[in-house]
């Protein structure tokens, strides 16, 4: 299996696509997430080679010279050693910025305008209660109670909206 097959990309893909494929597969196969350590080592070896332009160029030359043609997708018999052959990968020349994952993890926050609604309703309830003590009109106290009730409903609605917006459409195995 070639490094391109390992990451599920073709030989002509851009470096950003290699990084995306690596990050997606690393999330799925990382040992901390219940994945296979051998599969993760193979992914690391593939990414270390294909993310470095010089290493990738040498790898492509070796791959073509071994076959005298570009590798076919069904050619999965080739196994390339990783690093010194002991399963370790030399990442000394790798750019650490390539390994940073800038994809947000977890549910997205609700819109800032919606998050401001419950505290705003509570502020209005406090103002209404204060005006009740100043003017003594019972409608102001009833309004303060209603505003506190609606602030509670708005808090629950914002929390539910945040949870439903964060639901994943696809599940990882």
């Amino acid at each position: 299996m070639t490094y391109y097959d390992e990451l599920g990309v073709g030989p002509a893909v851009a470096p950003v696509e290699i990084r995306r494929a690596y990050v997606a597969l690393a999330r799925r196969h990382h040992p901390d997430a219940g994945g296979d350590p051998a599969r993760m080592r193979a992914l690391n070896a593939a990414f270390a080679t294909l993310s470095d332009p010089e290493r990738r160029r040498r790898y492509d030359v070796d791959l073509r010279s071994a076959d005298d043609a570009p590798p076919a997708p069904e050619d999965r018999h080739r196994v390339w050693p990783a690093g010194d052959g002991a399963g370790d990968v030399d990442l000394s020349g790798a750019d650490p910025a390539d390994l940073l994952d800038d994809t947000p993890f977890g549910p997205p926050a609700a819109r800032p305008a919606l998050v401001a609604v419950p505290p705003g309703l509570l502020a209005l309830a406090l103002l209404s209660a204060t005006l009740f003590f100043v003017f003594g009109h019972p409608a102001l106290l009833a309004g303060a109670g209603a505003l506190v009730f609606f602030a509670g409903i708005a808090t629950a609605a914002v929390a539910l909206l945040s949870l439903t917006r964060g639901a994943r459409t696809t599940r990882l195995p």
Side-chain angles (χ1 to χ4, degrees):
M1 181 181 292
T2 66
Y3 285 161
Y4 294 107
D5 293 335
E6 196 70 47
L7 292 177
V9 297
V13 298
V16 69
E17 292 300 321
I18 290 172
R19 180 186 172 277
R20 282 187 189 140
Y22 170 76
V23 169
L25 290 169
R27 281 186 175 172
R28 189 177 312 149
H29 296 291
H30 195 278
D32 290 347
D36 181 27
R39 174 80 166 123
M40 192 65 206
R41 280 192 297 273
L43 290 172
N44 286 337
F47 181 70
T49 299
L50 298 180
S51 65
D52 180 11
E54 179 58 28
R55 283 175 151 178
R56 183 177 179 182
R57 186 192 63 74
R58 284 191 314 238
Y59 177 77
D60 288 342
V61 168
D62 290 344
L63 194 61
R64 278 191 217 102
S65 66
D67 283 347
D68 292 329
E74 53 273 355
D75 181 21
R76 298 183 180 268
H77 66 277
R78 176 167 287 106
V79 177
W80 295 90
D84 61 359
D88 295 331
V89 178
D90 177 26
L91 293 175
S92 60
D95 183 11
D98 286 342
L99 301 176
L100 293 176
D101 184 11
D102 54 0
T103 306
F105 187 74
R111 297 173 198 243
L114 291 177
V115 174
V117 169
L121 289 173
L122 286 176
L124 287 175
L126 182 63
L127 177 66
S128 181
T130 303
L131 290 176
F132 166 74
F133 287 115
V134 171
F135 297 112
H137 198 277
L140 291 172
L141 187 59
L147 286 171
V148 168
F149 175 75
F150 288 123
I153 290 175
T155 301
V158 167
L160 286 174
L161 179 67
S162 293
L163 288 174
T164 57
R165 288 185 67 208
R168 294 179 185 254
T169 56
T170 58
R171 302 256 182 228
L172 296 176

